[in-house]
Amino acid sequence: MRQSVLRGAASGFAAWLVYGALETLLSVGAKLHSQPDMSLMPWQWRLIAMLCAVYLAGGAVLGGLAGSLLAAAGRAVVPGAYQFAASLTVTLAFGANLIASRPLTGAEGIALAVAALLTIGFLMALFRENTSKRLRGLASPWTVSLLLLGAPWIAQEALSSGHSAVWRGAAALVFLGLVAAGSKFLDRLRGGRIPTAARQLAAGCVVFGIFGGLALVRSMPASMRGPVSAPAPNPASPNVLLITMDTVRADHLPMYGYARDTAPHLREFSQSATLYTRAIAVSDYTLPTHGSIFTGLYPPWHGGLMLPPPDQFNQPIHPERETLAQILGSKGYWTAESVANTIFLAEWTGLSRGFMFSERSRAVDLSSPPHAYYLRERARVLLGRWSAQFDQPFRTATDIAQRGEALLDQAKRNSRPFFVFLNYMDAHWPYAPEAAFPQDIDEQARATLDLRIKVNEGTASLTSQQRDFLISEYDAGITAEDASIDAVLKRLRALGLYDNTLIIIASDHGEGFMEHGFLEHISGAVYQENLHVPLLIKYPQQREGARSDLLVSQVDLLPTILDLAGLPARPGLPGKSLRRTQPSDSDAVFAMARPGVPGKKNPKIQGARNVIVSGSLKLIAWTAGPSEMYDLSSDPGEERNLYSPDDPRAIDLNQRLSKWVASMPPLKRNAGKTDKSALERLRSLGYTQ
């Protein structure tokens, strides 16, 4: 009995190693091949190892159980019995997973039929020697895995959606026929011998080794030097380090009064920098806000925004708009970026123009919800209790820090001023922090991520525990970014570049947690949780902390940088240099939300909202509902709507906002639009339907 259990466990271990190797090669390896911007990140090796450990442990247990059953039945003497039993555990698990994942696609239905046929055949082979001889070519785990995964992989991944369903189904069937015929041919070459567990184990390790080598090559960075054709500026010109913390709202940082110490390093940094307490984002999502940071223009003028219905798509900034990287690069600066947001900071948006080195690689997708046939999805759900990073579609704060430090090392070697831009996404949905705040949250709260769109549409609601869980995960993402930024700043100091560097740490927009009935930032909300953003600036040679209560906008950042770099201001920019001029408190800043989605049930996400903030007053004009006005000095949470059409203050703000809207250039298509890959990722994140 003991020997049967051990032989069964060894066969099961080898069979599941083969299945895991092939599944990884077909899913992850295929994505690395077809998606040039994907890379296998260092932290993902741990996740793949965890998945493999589940397969191997499960295979050994199931194989051992099968071995004990064979011994009890007296069938261990049937040729290849252990191999048939091990492969049987794979087909049973694969078939059960498909049944639990209904409804199935046509190709997945084919795979289920294949699993059923193999299961019946292997069961018969365990009891009939003649059957075992006829099916021994199919008993190889490689053959079994290819037959199970082949049809859905060919139809859903290998072939594009441009092929007809009939063509994809036919290709899948042809593939299955070739695999079956090939297994029969190889069995004859081997003289009817079924491969041993040792040979299968060795072959599986070889496949993993090849995959690992190719993945390492893909993850190697390109050259970071880049051409610098312009003459070097004055050596005394300051360096510029711009860091954006995507989706971070000001009131979730301790410097802005948050009770949880989410950013201890930034809190310390603020003691030798200038903290701006009233920074207002120009919009509620990444494309228009970064467009304003990089051009100094409001979204309608730079063009990078979502067009209103019926177009309803995101478009790049206008080709003629000069970006900050282009301006500084033309003056001899070395310009480089490393960004985690590979959707809205991608090349198609125009925001990468001017960077001599630009890294926009993204983590390879280890999660495959549309492809239910992968057993990995079941293992991932199990392992999700220990790591949320299976759902992480972006590079993490650690990844950005490592590349940021490398960029600074290169900048030091260049011996000329630099402009380095870093972007973080750890506080962005799906909230997959590297480490979470300890909090006792009901496991049901984790289902919140699947509800996000329904909540904003008004067809679902959140429990208090679900909301607390989301906030906890969001705050953990901020903390990860805080530690990463500290590592970058430490490297800047170690290189002797800190004092003469203009350091700007900002956010593009905030995040809602149902304060005004909106979750996250995908519904066109312009309340303070979405628009009030952190802004810290360490000016060159600054050593003492300062606090500024001036009303500032993201359009002020480009004029500020140009001023500090000794470059003339660009004509026609609405912003001001925050270093030289002191805008009065009566000056106004403006913002606009992404347009609402027609036809949705929730009336709150209809129409368009435009905003003016002047002094302590904020007016929200809404095309699909009543206007709102708040006094942010006494009501920062915007709980008391003061709007009255007869209020002189509301009349003045309405007139100024209407004048701003009337001055907008026509919102029409410019030279480009969202590329297909970005559009698919936008849909996956809920930005578009």
Side-chain angles (χ1 to χ4, degrees):
M1 173 69 76
R2 181 180 179 183
Q3 184 179 10
S4 294
V5 171
L6 292 176
R7 290 183 64 185
S11 296
F13 186 93
W16 280 87
L17 173 66
V18 168
Y19 175 84
L22 191 59
E23 186 184 79
T24 301
L25 187 64
L26 290 179
S27 59
V28 179
K31 289 174 184 175
L32 289 173
H33 174 72
S34 62
Q35 302 288 335
D37 61 339
M38 277 188 174
S39 295
L40 193 62
M41 301 299 161
W43 50 271
Q44 292 187 296
W45 288 103
R46 176 177 58 85
L47 301 180
I48 291 177
M50 291 170 65
L51 288 170
C52 290
V54 170
Y55 284 166
L56 297 180
V61 171
L62 292 174
L65 178 61
S68 66
L69 293 176
L70 286 173
R75 293 290 172 181
V77 295
V78 175
Y82 294 106
Q83 182 64 76
F84 279 113
S87 294
L88 178 62
T89 64
V90 177
T91 62
L92 286 171
F94 192 88
N97 175 59
L98 284 176
I99 293 173
S101 302
R102 293 174 298 175
L104 304 178
T105 64
E108 289 168 348
I110 294 175
L112 182 58
V114 170
L117 291 173
L118 288 175
T119 298
I120 294 171
F122 292 160
L123 284 172
M124 293 176 62
L126 291 174
F127 294 92
R128 297 180 181 179
E129 187 170 345
N130 289 337
T131 304
S132 70
K133 291 180 179 179
R134 287 196 297 267
L135 297 182
R136 62 193 175 196
L138 299 178
S140 166
W142 292 104
T143 302
V144 171
S145 300
L146 283 171
L147 289 173
L148 294 174
L149 293 168
W153 184 80
I154 290 289
Q156 297 177 206
E157 295 189 73
L159 296 178
S160 69
S161 57
H163 294 88
S164 68
V166 173
W167 171 255
R168 283 181 281 154
L173 292 174
V174 169
F175 177 82
L176 295 180
L178 291 174
V179 171
S183 67
K184 189 72 173 177
F185 176 72
L186 291 175
D187 182 57
R188 289 179 178 176
L189 286 181
R190 290 194 300 261
R193 290 184 296 106
I194 296 178
T196 65
R199 284 195 289 270
Q200 296 161 12
L201 184 64
C205 291
V206 168
V207 171
F208 268 121
I210 295 173
F211 166 78
L214 294 175
L216 284 174
V217 170
R218 277 290 303 276
S219 63
M220 293 177 63
S223 171
M224 291 188 296
R225 183 172 297 276
V228 182
S229 57
N234 187 328
S237 298
N239 307 305
V240 180
L241 174 61
L242 172 62
I243 298 174
T244 58
M245 305 170 69
D246 208 299
T247 320
V248 173
R249 51 192 278 182
D251 63 353
H252 273 242
L253 296 179
M255 305 85 73
Y256 291 87
Y258 195 44
R260 179 179 278 166
D261 195 9
T262 55
H265 299 104
L266 287 180
R267 175 168 46 79
E268 181 181 357
F269 171 76
S270 68
Q271 297 173 6
S272 59
T274 301
L275 176 71
Y276 291 87
T277 63
R278 302 177 64 208
I280 303 296
V282 300
S283 188
D284 59 337
Y285 74 110
T286 301
L287 177 57
T289 53
H290 276 83
S292 293
I293 292 171
F294 281 4
T295 67
L297 297 167
Y298 281 108
W301 283 265
H302 65 63
L305 75 175
M306 176 179 281
L307 293 178
D311 293 303
Q312 203 78 18
F313 64 79
N314 290 284
Q315 62 175 8
I317 63 174
H318 291 298
E320 67 272 15
R321 299 303 183 213
E322 196 173 21
T323 67
L324 177 60
Q326 287 177 305
I327 296 172
L328 294 179
S330 67
K331 300 302 179 182
Y333 273 73
W334 182 69
T335 58
E337 67 170 349
S338 183
V339 302
N341 191 328
T342 58
I343 301 176
F344 285 132
L345 298 179
E347 188 173 3
W348 72 267
T349 66
L351 295 174
S352 64
R353 291 203 301 263
F355 284 106
M356 300 167 189
F357 173 80
S358 184
E359 183 185 47
R360 297 182 300 274
S361 62
R362 57 189 171 109
V364 66
D365 186 10
L366 295 181
S367 173
S368 305
H371 307 310
Y373 58 91
Y374 285 132
L375 284 170
R376 183 181 63 227
E377 283 303 294
R378 299 293 171 184
R380 186 183 64 83
V381 172
L382 173 66
L383 294 171
R385 296 175 179 269
W386 290 274
S387 177
Q389 287 192 290
F390 285 103
D391 296 313
Q392 176 60 272
F394 312 110
R395 285 191 296 155
T396 66
T398 300
D399 298 324
I400 298 297
Q402 291 173 347
R403 185 42 49 88
E405 293 177 44
L407 291 176
L408 294 178
D409 291 342
Q410 181 62 54
K412 176 71 172 181
R413 293 191 290 269
N414 289 342
S415 300
R416 63 170 59 226
F418 64 80
F419 168 42
V420 169
F421 169 58
L422 303 178
N423 163 259
Y424 292 88
M425 286 285 280
D426 300 73
H428 192 286
W429 184 87
Y431 308 142
E434 297 175 83
F437 280 102
Q439 190 156 328
D440 185 16
I441 298 295
D442 191 302
E443 284 300 317
Q444 290 298 316
R446 297 184 180 272
T448 301
L449 302 182
D450 299 325
L451 295 175
R452 55 196 294 265
I453 296 178
K454 293 182 179 179
V455 167
N456 285 322
E457 290 180 345
T459 59
S461 59
L462 291 179
T463 67
S464 59
Q465 280 198 318
Q466 287 174 326
R467 181 177 181 272
D468 290 344
F469 170 75
L470 285 180
I471 293 175
S472 177
E473 297 285 276
Y474 173 78
D475 288 346
I478 295 176
T479 300
E481 294 179 10
D482 174 75
S484 170
I485 293 172
D486 181 60
V488 172
L489 297 181
K490 284 180 177 176
R491 179 61 63 90
L492 196 64
R493 289 188 179 94
L495 294 171
L497 301 171
Y498 186 85
D499 285 343
N500 194 41
T501 298
L502 170 65
I503 303 172
I504 300 177
I505 301 174
S507 173
D508 53 352
H509 57 80
E511 188 83 314
F513 293 104
M514 304 304 292
E515 293 88 348
H516 291 90
F518 296 97
L519 181 61
E520 302 178 60
H521 61 278
I522 61 175
S523 300
V526 284
Y527 296 100
Q528 288 300 89
E529 57 265 24
N530 289 95
L531 294 189
H532 184 206
V533 291
L535 177 61
L536 294 91
I537 300 180
K538 197 282 294 182
Y539 292 98
Q541 313 306 326
Q542 181 178 0
R543 293 180 176 84
E544 299 293 329
R547 184 183 181 92
S548 173
D549 296 326
L550 296 171
L551 184 63
V552 302
S553 169
Q554 291 165 332
V555 298
D556 297 321
L557 295 183
L558 183 140
T560 301
I561 294 171
L562 296 186
D563 180 24
L564 270 294
L567 302 176
R570 271 8 191 201
L573 296 183
K576 304 176 179 67
S577 170
L578 300 179
R579 184 61 165 172
R580 292 189 179 274
T581 61
Q582 296 295 313
S584 67
D585 203 44
S586 62
D587 279 358
V589 299
F590 300 91
M592 60 186 299
R594 53 174 265 163
V597 182
K600 295 300 180 182
K601 295 181 180 180
N602 189 353
K604 288 186 176 182
I605 62 176
Q606 305 299 321
R609 291 177 172 87
N610 293 309
V611 174
I612 179 174
V613 181
S614 181
S616 64
L617 294 177
K618 174 180 178 180
L619 179 90
I620 303 174
W622 184 22
T623 61
S627 298
E628 301 169 64
M629 186 175 72
Y630 301 97
D631 187 341
L632 299 178
S633 62
S634 60
D635 182 24
E638 298 167 291
E639 298 175 351
R640 298 183 297 277
N641 184 4
L642 305 176
Y643 183 81
S644 170
D646 300 326
D647 189 325
R649 300 174 300 174
I651 293 173
D652 175 63
L653 291 176
N654 256 325
Q655 290 176 343
R656 296 165 70 185
L657 181 57
S658 297
K659 183 179 179 180
W660 182 73
V661 172
S663 68
M664 292 180 182
L667 294 178
K668 59 183 180 180
R669 297 190 182 196
N670 59 35
K673 59 183 293 186
T674 315
D675 67 16
K676 183 178 179 180
S677 174
L679 187 60
E680 291 174 353
R681 282 178 279 154
L682 284 172
R683 289 195 184 102
S684 71
L685 294 173
Y687 280 102
T688 187
Q689 303 299 316

